[in-house]
Amino acid sequence: MLKEFNENQKTDLIQKTAWRLVRSAEDRIVGQGRGPERLIWCVERMREEFPKAKNGEDYIRAAFVNYPNENRALFA
C-alpha cells in the first residue's frame, strides 16, 4: 500500500492513522488508569496497518500526549 506514496505522504498517512487510532482507543477502552492498555491496542493496530513503519509508535505516543489539548479545543 505504501509504495504508491512519496515519503511526505507516507508520514502524513501514518500520523493521521495514529490520531485516528488514539481517538478510537479513547472511545473503545473507557476508564481511568487504562492508558497502557490503550497504547498497546493502538500499537497493535498500527502494526497491522503498516507492518514496515518504524516510527508508528512514536506518532501514537505523540497523539496520546496531544489528545487532551485537541479534545479541549473541540469542545471549547
Side-chain angles (χ1 to χ4, degrees):
M1 175 181 175
L2 293 181
K3 291 180 183 179
E4 304 164 7
F5 298 104
N6 69 35
E7 198 60 37
N8 288 335
Q9 290 170 324
K10 288 179 194 177
T11 301
D12 190 46
L13 182 62
I14 291 169
Q15 185 175 17
K16 286 179 180 178
T17 301
W19 280 96
R20 180 181 52 83
L21 288 171
V22 168
R23 284 192 291 272
S24 293
E26 292 292 327
D27 290 341
R28 289 174 181 262
I29 306 169
V30 180
Q32 290 289 81
R34 297 191 66 191
E37 187 178 339
R38 290 181 187 123
L39 177 64
I40 292 168
W41 184 86
C42 288
V43 170
E44 288 173 356
R45 295 303 145 317
M46 181 67 85
R47 287 185 182 144
E48 288 173 7
E49 290 194 41
F50 303 103
K52 294 183 181 181
K54 296 178 182 172
N55 57 351
E57 186 174 344
D58 295 334
Y59 284 112
I60 289 170
R61 289 180 183 277
F64 268 115
V65 169
N66 292 316
Y67 181 79
N69 294 331
E70 176 192 309
N71 205 21
R72 263 187 254 134
L74 289 174
F75 299 108

